[in-house]
Amino acid sequence: MAPAGVAGADDNAAAMPYYIPMKPTSEGVWQGDNPMRFSLPLVILQICLVIAVTRSLAFALRPLRQPRVIAEIIGGVLLGPSALGRSKVFLHNVFPRESLTVLDTLANIGLLFFLFLVGLELDPASLRRTGHRALAIAVVGISFPFSLGVGSSLVVRAAITPDAPRGPLIVFMGVALSITAFPVLARILAELKLLTTELGRMAMSAAAVNDITAWILLALAIALSGSGSPFVSIYVFLSGAAFVGLATLLVRPLLRYMARRSPDGEPVKESFVCGTMAIVLGAGLVTDTIGIHALFGAFVIGVLVPKEGAFAGALTDKIEDLVSSLFLPLYFVSSGLKTNVATISGAKSWGLLVLVITTACVGKIGGTVLTSLLMRVPVREAVALGLMMNTKGLVELIVLNIGRDRNVLNEEAFAIMVLMCLVTTFLTTPAISAVYRPARQQVSYTHRTVERDDADADSELRVLACFHGSRGIPTLINLVEASRGTRRSKLTMYAMHLVELSERSSAISMVQRARRNGMPFSSRRGRKGGAGGEEVQVAFEAFQRLSTVTVKPMTAISDLATIHEDIISSAVHKRAALIVLPFHKMLCHDGTTVASVGRAYHHVNVRVLRKAPCSVAVLVDRALGGMSQVSAPDVSYTVLMLFFGGPDDREALAYAVRMAEHPGIALTVACFTAAAAAAKQPGAADELAAMDEEAIQKHTVPGASVKYEEVVARERQEVASAIKALGKGKNLVVTGRSARAAPLVDKSDCPELGPVGSYLATAEFSATASVLVVQRYDRRSDPSSERAATDEDVEDAMVRAPMPSPAYTPNTASPAEQISPDAGEAGT
């Protein structure tokens, strides 16, 4: 039984009309009013408490890699009669019965718009491209647990809900057991870095079909749960089908008109956003009038919104954060106030809980595994796929709450089903991690650097080029075009879009679009100062058609704390010789910062430099070739290579000389022999200087496109002045990360660029040239090797350590040694 204050949800509806309605605002405590007896201050307190509890739980569960929906379900249960709600003082003051109408109304409004967003993320056209294996898995994954749910519902009805209507109970329990939570599954797969794998794509395709089917079944369940005659249920269901048809015929053209009038790169009209939200509310009113719940109408409108262009993305931006962060958690509390775990007592109740959990797992996992094996999916992947499809979440909670509100489920049955949802979802992540660990093959490949022996000079060059948004795409394309060479074999570019995994559902849309067309560049929203995603897609496709460079798209969707692992593993898998990373700041021509993509991306670069399996180049973008792509015949760049000596400078020299093979590029190699000699440590090995001299002689053969000059500059100011003078009129400056030179700036917030690169990224270097800072691959920094320091220690040393003083003598060790604690100085 529910404690007093909640009085059991059974008699809420009957008791509430006899309560005096709360006034919205109080006159203040100084006037003798208690704010907790007025609806506005009370609902503010409730919202703040819900957010504090759910966010704290989400933070606590993050090490377990649990999705936020788990924290929200648990938070709702804890605030209800199962935990804190056992205190009558707490319930009477924080969640009094007369306030629940306001709380439920706000929660359902938030849920209404959240379901609109869910429909907005679902593209019906993608269902037609679902593979036969995913379709078969989806069909069996729904029908098999639904059929087992029929038997379970009969047992539950006979044991604890003898008065429940048989037909609606069968449908509600069948739907609850057969649902796969599409958004929750996407989050779990992204956390496990399986989202863009073949297994992840198959699971998401099946989950999308499951999601649509679940809503159809839910509409059927709601229609059958009416208290009238069977003919009424038929009328409700037919009216719902008619609503879908009329919305498709009448509302969809209006939504298409608004989408056409919202071009990329321009703000969407406020009247369009307001009109769409009004349509959502109107659709909810119609479906609620019909009798199939207001949520169904909002979901249908979301599905009908055109997914192309900026309109859908603008709607998401306007609605998502407020709904997901503020209003949606209220629904979990509203659900938690109806959940009393204390009603599950005795062997019979716990036995029913075990029965329901077992039925859910056997039906979903067993059906998926058997179907996958028939489709010739390996056993381990089939089991993992079954675990993925057993993920529950918000949609199931919606089904259960509707069943509870319509008296199909009593308090005990509702609590059993909520716990089943919580247990199955909580176990998904650890179960998949235990069962399915993709074998990380130790890929052995030879060409991990740009500089190669004469025998391998004509071998293919593979470049993994990363980018955050669309602004840096033209520079990236122009750089790769300039690097393709003319006398060598082809260059292959793997263009990796780095997408931050967040709680926002829009990340799911990117995954769907990437799965649909293989291009990760078609995100609806051109954030971070660039053109829309469609323009970016066109740019890459045009570049591949007009150039001899092979472009292969990739997407990394991960938390920024671990996205470097995606970059490194992709580089190994694709056998890349060079990783090109974007600088974490966008710079003007004069070196001043336009915007920063975030310090987290700074840490990403640091981690990749630390663990790189090949050479790495950090690109400081100052619009190489302008703000648009330059076609191959029109390429005309002047490139400056700053050579101070060392392995990184030799790698940078090899890359610059490859660029000089392009007929439109003129290269100047400036050798700072005096500065390098002054920076040498006493007793430095002569063979290092010999290797530098050999590289100079090999790569600087006098030619029309290569100019070599020695610069006599020893002191810091002389070197900085010489670089500034040489950089005038240049389009690109290339240098090594660990150049043997004294630091040219006293202090820098980007020491990972090295003593010279840190200066080139500042406003003091007032050239219009973009900068490429190169680090040569060192096997001692390979991810498979043992490291003396932890990743966090290395990151702090590189990012936070101040730049050495001008009297500092650089270390001549390799980059891997320089960022190791054993090397003495870190971050240079």
Side-chain angles (χ1 to χ4, degrees), residues 310-328:
F311 184 59
L315 293 175
T316 302
D317 286 341
K318 300 290 185 182
I319 302 173
E320 185 173 34
D321 289 335
L322 181 65
V323 170
S324 300
S325 302
L326 199 62
F327 289 110
L328 190 61

Side-chain angles (χ1 to χ4, degrees), residues 77 160 193 338 389 410-411 571 588 592 602 665 720:
V77 172
I160 58 176
K193 299 190 180 299
K338 305 172 188 174
M389 299 304 292
N410 65 8
E411 193 172 17
C588 288
T592 57
H602 186 195
I665 293 179

Side-chain angles (χ1 to χ4, degrees), residues 343-357:
T343 58
I344 306 176
S345 60
K348 182 177 68 174
S349 296
W350 288 106
L352 289 175
L353 176 62
V354 173
L355 172 66
V356 171
I357 294 176

Side-chain angles (χ1 to χ4, degrees), residues 20 68 99 149 247 335 347 392 395 495 548 695 700 754:
I20 300 175
R68 196 173 76 184
S99 73
S335 175
K392 310 297 181 185
V395 178
T548 59
T700 59

Side-chain angles (χ1 to χ4, degrees), residues 192-450:
L192 298 176
K193 299 190 180 299
L194 298 174
L195 194 55
T196 54
T197 63
E198 181 63 30
L199 185 67
R201 287 192 292 268
M202 189 186 306
M204 293 303 296
S205 297
V209 177
N210 196 306
D211 211 34
I212 290 290
T213 309
W215 280 100
I216 297 174
L217 292 176
L218 177 59
L220 175 62
I222 295 173
L224 292 176
S225 62
S227 57
S229 67
F231 292 104
V232 173
S233 298
I234 296 175
Y235 295 153
V236 170
F237 190 78
L238 292 178
S239 299
F243 164 77
V244 174
L246 290 175
T248 304
L249 293 176
L250 301 179
V251 179
R252 192 176 187 183
L254 178 60
L255 296 173
R256 284 182 172 177
Y257 169 79
M258 290 189 283
R260 287 196 304 268
R261 298 291 298 272
S262 305
D264 288 325
E266 296 183 11
V268 176
K269 292 182 179 180
E270 184 270 343
S271 59
F272 289 173
V273 177
C274 181
T276 304
M277 295 174 69
I279 291 174
V280 172
L281 293 173
L285 174 62
V286 171
T287 51
D288 189 79
T289 303
I290 291 173
I292 54 173
H293 210 286
L295 304 180
F296 189 78
F299 176 78
V300 170
I301 298 300
V303 173
L304 294 179
V305 172
K307 306 304 185 289
E308 296 78 15
F311 184 59
L315 293 175
T316 302
D317 286 341
K318 300 290 185 182
I319 302 173
E320 185 173 34
D321 289 335
L322 181 65
V323 170
S324 300
S325 302
L326 199 62
F327 289 110
L328 190 61
L330 297 180
Y331 187 78
F332 291 96
V333 174
S334 176
S335 175
L337 291 174
K338 305 172 188 174
T339 306
N340 189 0
V341 179
T343 58
I344 306 176
S345 60
K348 182 177 68 174
S349 296
W350 288 106
L352 289 175
L353 176 62
V354 173
L355 172 66
V356 171
I357 294 176
T358 303
T359 303
C361 294
V362 171
K364 202 70 174 179
I365 299 175
T368 303
V369 170
L370 290 176
T371 307
S372 302
L373 293 176
L374 292 176
M375 295 291 172
R376 299 183 180 180
V377 176
V379 176
R380 192 166 58 115
E381 296 184 4
V383 175
L385 197 56
L387 293 171
M388 295 174 190
M389 299 304 292
N390 197 37
T391 304
K392 310 297 181 185
L394 178 62
V395 178
E396 184 191 32
L397 212 59
I398 294 172
V399 173
L400 298 178
N401 274 277
I402 294 175
R404 179 76 180 97
D405 294 339
R406 300 198 171 212
N407 296 321
V408 176
L409 300 173
N410 65 8
E411 193 172 17
E412 185 177 356
F414 181 79
I416 289 174
M417 297 300 292
V418 170
L419 285 185
M420 181 273 294
C421 170
L422 186 63
V423 170
T424 54
T425 306
F426 190 90
L427 294 178
T428 298
T429 299
I432 295 175
S433 300
V435 171
Y436 183 71
R437 296 179 179 178
R440 296 186 177 274
Q441 300 177 354
Q442 296 297 324
V443 179
S444 176
Y445 64 101
T446 304
H447 303 308
R448 296 174 182 260
T449 61
V450 178

